């Protein structure tokens, strides 16, 4: 597709569509900010993990720290700083600008990510997808739809910034004169995650260059050289941004990561090609929860309407383009579903293969779907039908966006009981009661003792200033995992499923209970006692632990080597906390 060219400055009237799109985005974000501290933000893999380390790096001034002596003391009794993502990141920068308010930092960051997403998709479509003046409104509508997709904003532009990277690749293919394209390649790593999208974007980029050479032969070589240069600049940027992790894990080898003990064969017992194909179908139609999950039926319907309304050679051309787009989606879905099975089969011969998540091709799934919608709109008049096809996608997108739907329900007075707002989840008043009780009883501040949590994520304690032995981390020392296991060995022995969950994976280095299973969010209603908890209290004390913060009541704490010190409640909190102390010799 050729780029749109104009030599005149855009008039205010021509800027109206993008201004309206930005207004629409502001209205979309309104439920997220209208509730203030009561707003709901994603909990799983977000507030229970990512937000915490961003907050602690800012609070402890460790964003740019490195080396064996740099540790994050509140996490796992001193998590190596190099186990966390780089401080050379826009995300980290924003949290450092608001070090005392992780919620404000999160909301500002999310708003910026979505604004950049809208502008980058609009720029891509105006250059290569919907370039005619009459299509400005359609381009702005699709850009707004893209910016509203459900996604994890804490991962920066890893998903929603992909249009700007595609724009850069197309500009480099077009000619050598675009400094902006080179700038995008250099800057993108600073607001995205290497481990989530870097290798997979590289594979897609190389595949695109290969197909271009196959189609155009020698005529494609100049563009191929520029494309290789852009990819090299992108990967070099990732190496610069993530030098902490690359150096500590691959060069200096400061510690052996727990990921090297991943056992995918145990995590995927008996799963074969049939299970992989079912997972591929799920990824095809729904996507992955980390990377814009929403039902794609509306987009398929839009494609059918577009093919029905277009006649002649244009229909055949559109059919081929849509077929190619669906083939790309199918290939990405198959890779995302089948590569974990391949890793499980090969991990004995390639020991480090299982430490790297090969399935993350699903992070690339959202963009081709939305571009297929743009291909359909390109062939239609910019009228009611075209805008109606864009509007058709909105309910699918909004329904899948948990931050939008949960906050909208709360504003309507119908909050979901299993979706606590930020203040109820973090519960500063409740945890403040516990902290004050310990100070009155012992005179000790949180750095002087260690806690662990049962029935609530350790992130809750970490966000309230406690120092925890447990945590949810994607990388931490294998030696620590081995030292932590005796605390929960009795419970793992009761549940083979939990044993596999910890031993073969273990990102959640938590206090487990076979009675609770993988329920890590036990609210105070209804009350749920644990009858028998085989806790390694002696091992807990040897590791430095003193208190257990439990969202559940233990029916017989003495049998677990614990004694109850108090029960704490707060009407604004999602939890009711039981404070137990490990008894010496217990």
């Amino acid at each position: 597709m050729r780029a749109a060219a104009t030599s005149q400055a855009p008039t205010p009237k021509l800027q109206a569509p993008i201004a309206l799109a930005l207004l629409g985005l502001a209205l979309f974000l309104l439920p997220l900010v209208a509730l203030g501290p009561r707003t709901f933000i994603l909990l799983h893999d977000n507030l229970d993990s990512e937000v915490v380390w961003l907050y602690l790096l800012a609070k402890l001034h460790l964003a740019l720290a490195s080396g064996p002596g740099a540790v994050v003391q509140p996490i796992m009794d001193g998590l190596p700083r190099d186990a966390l993502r780089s401080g050379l990141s826009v995300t980290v920068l924003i949290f450092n600008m608001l070090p005392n308010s992780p919620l404000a930092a999160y909301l500002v960051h999310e708003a910026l990510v979505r604004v950049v997403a809208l502008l980058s998709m609009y720029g891509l479509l105006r250059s290569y997808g919907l370039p005619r003046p009459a299509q400005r409104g359609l381009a702005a509508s699709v850009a707004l739809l893209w910016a509203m997709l459900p996604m994890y904003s804490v991962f920066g532009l890893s998903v929603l910034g992909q249009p700007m990277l595609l724009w850069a690749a197309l500009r480099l293919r077009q000619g050598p004169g675009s400094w902006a394209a080179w700038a995008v390649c250099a800057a993108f790593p600073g607001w995205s995650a290497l481990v989530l999208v870097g290798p997979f974007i590289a594979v897609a980029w190389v595949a695109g260059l290969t197909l271009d050479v196959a189609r155009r032969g020698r005529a494609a070589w100049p563009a191929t050289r520029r494309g290789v240069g852009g990819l090299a600049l992108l990967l070099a940027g990732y190496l610069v941004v993530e030098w902490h992790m690359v150096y500590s894990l691959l060069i200096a080898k400061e510690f052996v990561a727990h990921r090297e003990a991943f056992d995918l064969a145990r995590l995927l017992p008996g799963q074969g090609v049939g299970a992989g194909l079912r997972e591929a179908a799920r990824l095809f139609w729904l996507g992955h929860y980390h990377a814009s999950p929403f039902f794609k039926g509306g987009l398929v319907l839009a494609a059918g309407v577009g093919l029905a309304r277009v006649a002649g050679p244009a229909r055949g051309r559109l059919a081929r383009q849509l077929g190619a787009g669906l083939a790309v989606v199918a290939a990405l879905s198959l890779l995302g579903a089948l590569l974990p099975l391949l890793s499980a089969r090969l991990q004995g011969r390639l020991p480090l293969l299982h430490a790297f998540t090969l399935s993350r091709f699903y992070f690339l799934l959202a963009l081709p779907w939305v571009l297929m919608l743009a291909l359909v709109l390109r062939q239609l008049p910019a009228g009611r039908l075209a805008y109606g096809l864009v509007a058709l996608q909105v309910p699918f997108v909004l329904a899948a966006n948990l931050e939008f739907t949960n906050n909208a329900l709360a504003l309507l007075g119908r909050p979901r009981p299993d979706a606590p707002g930020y203040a109820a989840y973090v519960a500063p008043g409740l945890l403040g009661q516990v902290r004050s009780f310990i100070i009155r009883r012992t005179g000790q501040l949180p750095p002087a003792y260690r806690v662990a949590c049962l029935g609530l994520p350790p992130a809750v304690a970490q966000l309230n200033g406690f120092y925890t032995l447990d945590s949810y981390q994607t990388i931490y020392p294998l030696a620590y995992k081995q030292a932590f296991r005796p605390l929960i060995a009795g419970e793992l022995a009761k549940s083979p499923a939990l044993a596999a969950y910890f031993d073969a994976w273990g990102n959640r280095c938590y206090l487990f209970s076979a009675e609770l299973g993988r329920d890590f969010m036990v609210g105070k209603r209804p009350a749920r006692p644990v009858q028998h908890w085989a806790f390694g209290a002696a091992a807990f004390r040897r590791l430095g632990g003193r208190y257990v913060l439990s969202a559940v009541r233990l029916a017989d704490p003495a049998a677990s080597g614990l004694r109850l010190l108090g029960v704490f409640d707060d009407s604004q909190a999602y939890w009711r906390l039981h404070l137990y102390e490990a008894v010496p010799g217990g």
Side-chain angles (χ1 to χ4, degrees), residues 12 120 150 186 278 296 342 390 409 424 519 570:
S120 65
R278 288 191 294 273
K296 308 305 189 300
L342 180 64
V390 179
L409 287 172
D519 185 357
D570 185 316

Side-chain angles (χ1 to χ4, degrees), residues 40 66 68 91 108 120 133 167-168 180 196 281 294 313 324-325 329 339 346 353 355 403 406 409 447 498 526 542 562:
F40 171 87
S66 65
T91 304
V108 168
S120 65
W167 173 88
L196 298 182
F294 66 98
V329 171
L339 283 179
L346 297 179
L353 182 64
E403 290 185 338
N406 287 338
L409 287 172
L498 281 181
R542 285 195 300 271
L562 303 170

Side-chain angles (χ1 to χ4, degrees), residues 76-100:
M76 293 177 156
D77 201 27
L79 179 72
R81 164 64 185 89
D82 291 338
L84 301 172
R85 279 166 43 196
S86 170
L88 301 176
S89 158
V90 174
T91 304
V92 174
L93 173 63
I94 291 172
F95 273 78
N96 272 269
M97 293 172 63
L98 296 164
N100 298 316

Side-chain angles (χ1 to χ4, degrees), residues 10 13 81 92 103 131 165 211 253 270 282 317 338 346 353 397 427 466 480 550 552 577:
K13 182 179 179 180
R81 164 64 185 89
V92 174
L103 176 61
L165 206 55
L211 288 173
K253 297 184 178 179
R282 189 190 66 79
R317 184 168 57 252
L338 297 181
L346 297 179
L353 182 64
V397 168
F466 287 93
Y480 189 86
S550 179
V552 295
L577 288 185

Side-chain angles (χ1 to χ4, degrees), residues 214-262:
R215 289 179 56 205
R216 298 198 295 147
R218 293 175 63 91
W221 286 5
T224 302
R225 287 192 292 269
R226 291 191 297 271
V228 169
L231 176 58
L233 184 59
L234 176 74
L235 295 178
Y238 273 124
L239 290 178
V240 170
V241 170
E242 298 290 354
W243 72 272
H244 275 296
M245 181 179 64
V246 173
Y247 179 79
S248 64
L249 294 181
L250 301 181
I251 300 175
K253 297 184 178 179
E254 294 174 7
F255 61 90
V256 176
H258 82 289
R259 301 180 74 88
E260 295 193 22
F262 278 8

Side-chain angles (χ1 to χ4, degrees), residues 296-318:
K296 308 305 189 300
L299 293 169
V300 173
L301 178 60
V305 171
L307 287 171
R309 296 299 296 266
V310 177
R315 175 183 291 178
R317 184 168 57 252
L318 178 60

Side-chain angles (χ1 to χ4, degrees), residues 17 140 249 290 320 329 340 451 456 549 551 569 583 585:
L249 294 181
H290 277 154
R320 290 191 296 273
V329 171
V451 306
L456 75 160
L549 304 180
D569 204 349
V583 179

Side-chain angles (χ1 to χ4, degrees), residues 524-539:
K524 57 186 172 184
R525 296 182 182 86
R528 288 184 64 179
V530 168
Q531 298 299 327
H532 306 285
W533 193 41
F535 178 55

